[in-house]
Amino acid sequence: MDRIRQFLKFAGKDGHKVAAVFGVSPNDCDAAVRHVRCGAPEVPVWLFASQEPWPGTASLCERVCVEPDSMQLLVEAEKVLWSRWVALSVGTWTGGRGKWPVKAAALLVPPFRALIMNRQGDFFPATIGSVARHLARTARDRSHSAWHRAKDVHRAAWLWLLGLMAQRLLWLSRRAFARGHGNRALATPDCPPAGEGVAVYRYHPRQWDWAEVDRFVQESGCRHILFLAGDAEDEIRWTGGPQTFAVSRQNGYRGWKPCLFPMAPFRTLQPEEVSRTLAPVSNAILVDRAKLAALGVPKTIAPGTAWLMLFWKAAAAGWHSYSVGATGAVRDTPDWPFEETEFVVRTLSKPGLRALGPRQPDLSRGTIATSGAGGCVPAQGGKPRVLVVSPYLPWPLSHGGAVRIWNLCRALCGRVDFTLAGFREKDDGVDYAKLREVFREVYVVDRVVKAVSDSALPLQVREHGSRSMRALIASLAPRMDLLQVEFTHMAAFRDAAPQLPAILVEHDLTFTLYQQFAAHERSRAARLEYERWLAFERRWFAGYDAVWTMSQEDRETAVREGSPAERTYLVANGVDLARFVPRDEAGTAPEIFYVGSFRHLPNILGFERLRHGIMPLVWRRYPEARLRVVAGPDPDRYWKEFLKVDYPCSMDPRIEIHRFVADLRPLYSTASVVAVPLLVSAGTNIKVMEAMACRKAVVTTPVGCHGLGLEDGRDAVIREWDAGFADAVIDLLGDPAARARIAAEARCTAECRFSWEAVAAQAWASYQAVARR
């Protein structure tokens, strides 16, 4: 070594020591320079780089030389280093391609004392043995990586082919999965909330780097991770409860489209509306990091497959996932043949995954919605908790049943803690803020199945058979004191909570309605439907702890047909006397007013009788008279459904049809006479009481005012189905004094007998009686 030193000194090298570092990327240069400075802080560092180093790196060096041309950089380094004693030269072999002169430079600088940095950031001496071992290990790693890449490509090719096949045989893949998966729960460790805040992870919508995702999940200290696909931008604030695994922003709805399992809500959600869905795949998903770490990041090819596997395992663990309504447009969900195929192949090929099944599938079908926004009435201790189950939403007040439920519950909400579980009708919006003025919790269910096939049940009962509603009632029952089921055709939901005391609200004795249909139509089909209703109601009279009827006549009929007398109560209908107040605005022509939502067949039949049988007689005497009708939402739909004919495209121009009207009071104010020409009816008609409260003269049939105890000629004019009904209308139009007298008596009767406060007192007494039993 001394001779080498003397020779180099003779050749021009002096005794000033330096350390030479050769690097390509700023990151490699920084790591190598800091390693030298840490080991030999007294030796100055000369850096030779093909890219501009970071300022912090340059500040640690005595000299920096940057040259993009790697060969020119090697030549320049040899020239400037010849005059210095190079105590150590460091090269960076971190796996990048090209720039071989820079990588070899450390081996070519006298006196050839070199150190090499590998891709893991470790250093080894540049001896022949060490370099040989490094090259062998690199070759082995590359061959191993190439082998696994080839396996992935091979597997991807097969999955791609399967995906192409699945586009035509998707039904077969779904059937195989439905029959092949089990129902075992997934045991997971407790995952208490960990960390604070939200970390954002952005990924390519068609690429899934599971190792990078797993590293991010393990290293993040945040409570939640927001996964954004592509250029998606979102902020999800509602995070659910302690059992929530994920919340996604809805970007698709499934409608009636068949699917592997629910991957989107059934319909387009309203902004901030929330629906529990088994696998709410979206381009914005907020995930509980601790639960994700417990499940593990799936090793899949497609990101969609990874999400399907995660959601499936989370559902098997008993964790919940939700979709939150978006403010923008939402499209129909596309098919995922590749993702579904990969999911089915991976799941069914692994016994542990194949045995799993969701714990509460009927609650996770994307058909039960509530509001994620605040504003619900806070619970108050000591108040009885009543779950109201209804086939309709009680707001808006689009028909008599909604009017009754809304007003009675509003009158009682100071003493009772109400929760609502109601079906949503097609295209209906949900006013959660208004509903929560009365109901502390509101759950809305979409009916997504066709009528059940049990021919022993009435058709309307079969049409309302809902697994989601049944599961919702069962899940809410443990924290309720009483179940209140509205309408006869909902009675079978009683067995969803058999341990809970229950009340059946008979808005009408439905079998009596179909008895009238059978007598009117005289057909075998009508008779059979009446017999089905009679058997159904008789069965459920005995299945409830209390039965509410709307009139004393209905109560006596129910008791006669098997309802226990001590458990059958009169809880009548009423009218909002503060809202429906007298207000008269005379028009230029006489006006007959008819209210009847066409969703109820008797109202359509009453309108037909009014249009064809009564108004022609009225027009003979008063040709300028007008008929104003409020037919409720979608009258053409119900017309075609009930009458099996298209809605009339043209009517007499003196007939004015309104659809749903939120406030009927202005229409009542201009009416000369209110007509209720019902041929068949059951229960008590709230529209009659509303007209009386508005101080209007009513002409009705006996069945139209059934159960109200009205006196003919005093509270209303009561006529049968014949010319006498038209004559009564004509007489009232021609006798303002008689019309005013009957109208005044009608208002007086409404004030004395039909207030909701009096009805609420009847309901409260029934609650207390059931509670005592």
Side-chain angles (χ1 to χ4, degrees):
M1 178 58 70
D2 291 338
R3 290 184 178 182
I4 294 175
R5 191 185 299 274
Q6 290 175 0
F7 174 77
L8 293 175
K9 186 176 182 180
F10 175 77
K13 282 189 177 291
D14 60 18
H16 292 85
K17 293 182 179 181
V18 297
V21 175
F22 298 88
V24 177
S25 70
N27 187 62
D28 294 345
C29 293
D30 185 74
V33 168
R34 292 185 183 277
H35 181 75
V36 173
R37 293 289 295 168
C38 182
E42 72 284 355
V43 179
V45 177
W46 287 16
L47 174 62
F48 300 89
S50 58
Q51 297 179 23
E52 193 69 34
W54 294 333
T57 306
S59 66
L60 299 176
C61 303
E62 183 180 81
R63 181 170 182 173
V64 177
C65 180
V66 180
E67 174 56 58
D69 188 313
S70 57
M71 182 58 73
Q72 184 63 34
L73 181 65
L74 173 60
V75 173
E76 183 66 22
E78 293 287 0
K79 288 169 57 178
V80 299
L81 288 173
W82 186 254
S83 62
R84 292 291 186 269
W85 180 262
V86 182
L88 181 67
S89 58
V90 181
T92 55
W93 294 2
T94 55
R97 296 183 177 181
K99 304 292 183 181
W100 64 266
V102 180
K103 298 175 183 177
L107 305 176
L108 304 177
V109 176
F112 312 106
R113 299 178 63 186
L115 199 62
I116 304 299
M117 184 179 77
N118 63 20
R119 69 178 62 193
Q120 282 76 36
D122 299 325
F123 293 84
F124 62 90
T127 62
I128 294 176
S130 297
V131 171
R133 286 191 296 272
H134 172 75
L135 294 176
R137 184 164 52 250
T138 300
R140 184 172 65 252
D141 291 345
R142 288 182 176 177
S143 64
H144 184 269
S145 177
W147 168 249
H148 281 278
R149 189 177 297 111
K151 288 171 59 178
D152 288 340
V153 170
H154 179 265
R155 183 168 58 252
W158 276 107
L159 289 172
W160 178 73
L161 290 174
L162 288 173
L164 291 179
M165 295 173 60
Q167 288 181 328
R168 296 187 178 275
L169 299 174
L170 200 55
W171 62 272
L172 185 60
S173 174
R174 291 168 177 168
R175 179 174 294 183
F177 178 74
R179 294 184 175 182
H181 78 78
N183 294 301
R184 183 182 303 169
L186 176 64
T188 56
D190 292 335
C191 298
E196 297 291 338
V198 178
V200 177
Y201 183 86
R202 194 176 293 277
Y203 64 96
H204 192 282
R206 303 301 300 171
Q207 297 175 6
W208 184 250
D209 188 345
W210 69 268
E212 174 62 21
V213 176
D214 184 66
R215 183 196 63 78
F216 188 87
V217 171
Q218 299 299 331
E219 294 180 359
S220 174
C222 291
R223 174 74 174 87
H224 294 93
I225 298 177
L226 178 60
F227 288 88
L228 298 176
D231 57 355
E233 295 293 340
D234 207 334
E235 181 181 4
I236 300 175
R237 297 181 179 179
W238 189 81
T239 57
Q243 287 298 106
T244 301
F245 169 68
V247 177
S248 73
R249 181 70 67 188
Q250 182 186 21
N251 59 7
Y253 65 91
R254 78 173 191 274
W256 294 99
K257 178 184 294 184
C259 54
L260 187 68
F261 44 70
M263 290 180 268
F266 175 73
R267 59 176 171 87
T268 300
L269 300 176
Q270 299 173 182
E272 301 307 320
E273 194 175 20
V274 175
S275 179
R276 182 171 163 187
T277 309
L278 195 146
V281 181
S282 170
N283 56 10
I285 306 175
L286 185 71
V287 181
D288 186 302
R289 185 187 63 82
K291 292 182 175 63
L292 176 57
L295 294 179
V297 178
K299 301 178 182 179
T300 64
I301 296 173
T305 307
W307 285 116
L308 293 182
M309 296 185 72
L310 283 171
F311 284 127
W312 183 254
K313 292 169 67 176
W319 295 333
H320 309 161
S321 299
Y322 297 89
S323 189
V324 180
T327 56
V330 174
R331 65 185 187 278
D332 188 6
T333 54
D335 286 328
W336 273 15
F338 180 87
E339 288 81 355
E340 287 192 24
T341 302
E342 184 184 5
F343 170 81
V344 171
V345 170
R346 291 183 182 275
T347 302
L348 297 186
S349 63
K350 298 179 180 179
L353 289 177
R354 186 173 64 245
L356 299 180
R359 294 197 187 182
Q360 297 174 314
D362 289 338
L363 291 176
S364 305
R365 304 179 68 210
T367 56
I368 303 172
T370 186
S371 175
C376 66
V377 179
Q380 298 182 13
K383 293 168 61 175
R385 298 161 298 177
V386 177
L387 173 59
V388 177
V389 178
S390 171
Y392 318 105
L393 295 178
W395 186 272
L397 306 179
S398 57
H399 53 87
V403 171
R404 175 192 168 84
I405 297 170
W406 174 260
N407 283 287
L408 182 55
C409 290
R410 185 179 63 171
L412 285 166
C413 66
R415 292 181 281 182
V416 179
D417 181 15
F418 285 112
T419 293
L420 174 67
F423 282 115
R424 169 189 170 272
E425 302 235 272
K426 185 177 181 293
D427 300 325
D428 278 358
V430 185
D431 191 342
Y432 284 100
K434 186 67 177 180
L435 288 168
R436 281 182 165 167
E437 291 179 7
V438 173
F439 302 95
R440 188 170 61 84
E441 297 178 72
V442 177
Y443 298 91
V444 180
V445 181
D446 288 280
R447 289 193 289 134
V448 300
V449 295
K450 303 298 183 183
V452 297
S453 58
D454 188 353
S455 60
L457 296 175
L459 177 60
Q460 195 175 15
V461 175
R462 285 181 275 153
E463 290 177 340
H464 283 77
S466 169
R467 291 157 44 194
S468 296
M469 177 63 83
R470 191 170 296 277
L472 176 62
I473 295 171
S475 68
L476 295 174
R479 48 193 177 92
M480 297 293 157
D481 299 314
L482 185 67
L483 175 66
Q484 181 172 318
V485 177
E486 304 282 343
F487 290 90
T488 312
H489 59 275
M490 300 286 284
F493 287 110
R494 196 286 176 250
D495 58 16
Q499 76 285 3
L500 199 62
I503 295 174
L504 175 61
V505 182
E506 289 271 12
H507 287 247
D508 52 48
L509 296 181
T510 312
F511 77 87
T512 65
L513 180 64
Y514 282 85
Q515 186 179 37
Q516 296 172 60
F517 283 145
H520 177 70
E521 297 180 17
R522 299 184 181 278
S523 67
R524 182 174 183 274
R527 181 177 58 80
L528 290 176
E529 188 69 356
Y530 155 64
E531 291 173 355
R532 282 190 284 263
W533 273 112
L534 180 59
F536 181 80
E537 284 191 80
R538 281 175 171 173
R539 172 191 174 189
W540 287 109
F541 280 152
Y544 279 81
D545 299 276
V547 175
W548 287 359
T549 62
M550 304 297 108
S551 67
Q552 183 60 31
E553 293 92 330
D554 280 359
R555 180 183 180 279
E556 293 171 359
T557 302
V559 171
R560 189 166 56 249
E561 295 298 336
S563 182
E566 70 279 5
R567 293 187 295 180
T568 306
Y569 299 87
L570 168 61
V571 183
N573 273 324
V575 63
D576 187 347
L577 295 172
R579 184 167 185 263
F580 290 94
V581 295
R583 189 176 69 179
D584 295 324
E585 296 179 10
T588 58
E591 186 172 294
I592 294 91
F593 187 36
Y594 176 68
V595 180
S597 173
F598 282 8
R599 71 173 23 148
H600 193 42
L601 176 57
N603 291 329
I604 297 180
L605 299 177
F607 170 70
E608 281 289 88
R609 179 63 176 172
L610 187 60
R611 179 165 71 111
H612 293 299
I614 297 172
M615 290 309 299
L617 298 177
V618 174
W619 283 326
R620 290 180 186 177
R621 177 68 177 81
Y622 297 98
E624 75 281 10
R626 300 182 60 82
L627 171 62
R628 191 188 297 270
V629 178
V630 175
D634 289 337
D636 46 352
R637 166 192 165 194
Y638 295 107
W639 187 284
K640 188 171 184 178
E641 177 181 327
F642 286 127
L643 302 186
K644 310 302 180 185
V645 295
D646 291 333
Y647 192 65
C649 58
S650 63
M651 294 187 187
D652 190 293
R654 292 168 290 187
I655 299 177
E656 184 175 351
I657 302 291
H658 298 264
R659 291 174 176 259
F660 169 66
V661 177
D663 189 355
L664 293 173
R665 291 173 296 177
L667 300 183
Y668 274 121
S669 69
T670 60
S672 304
V673 173
V674 175
V676 188
L678 298 181
L679 175 65
V680 293
S681 184
T684 54
N685 282 300
I686 290 179
K687 55 193 167 194
V688 174
M689 290 184 278
E690 289 178 347
M692 295 172 64
C694 289
R695 201 171 59 197
K696 292 296 173 180
V698 178
V699 180
T700 178
T701 59
V703 297
C705 61
H706 169 79
L708 295 180
L710 302 185
E711 181 180 340
D712 179 29
R714 180 177 179 274
D715 304 309
V717 179
I718 305 172
R719 296 290 183 270
E720 289 287 355
W721 269 107
D722 53 20
F725 195 101
D727 290 341
V729 174
I730 293 170
D731 291 344
L732 286 176
L733 291 178
D735 190 347
R739 194 166 69 237
R741 175 181 56 79
I742 292 175
E745 289 291 344
R747 173 67 189 187
C748 182
T749 298
E751 290 175 348
C752 295
R753 295 171 44 203
F754 298 150
S755 73
W756 282 115
E757 288 71 20
V759 177
Q762 296 172 343
W764 179 250
S766 175
Y767 286 155
Q768 292 179 312
V770 173
R772 285 194 298 270
R773 281 201 299 270

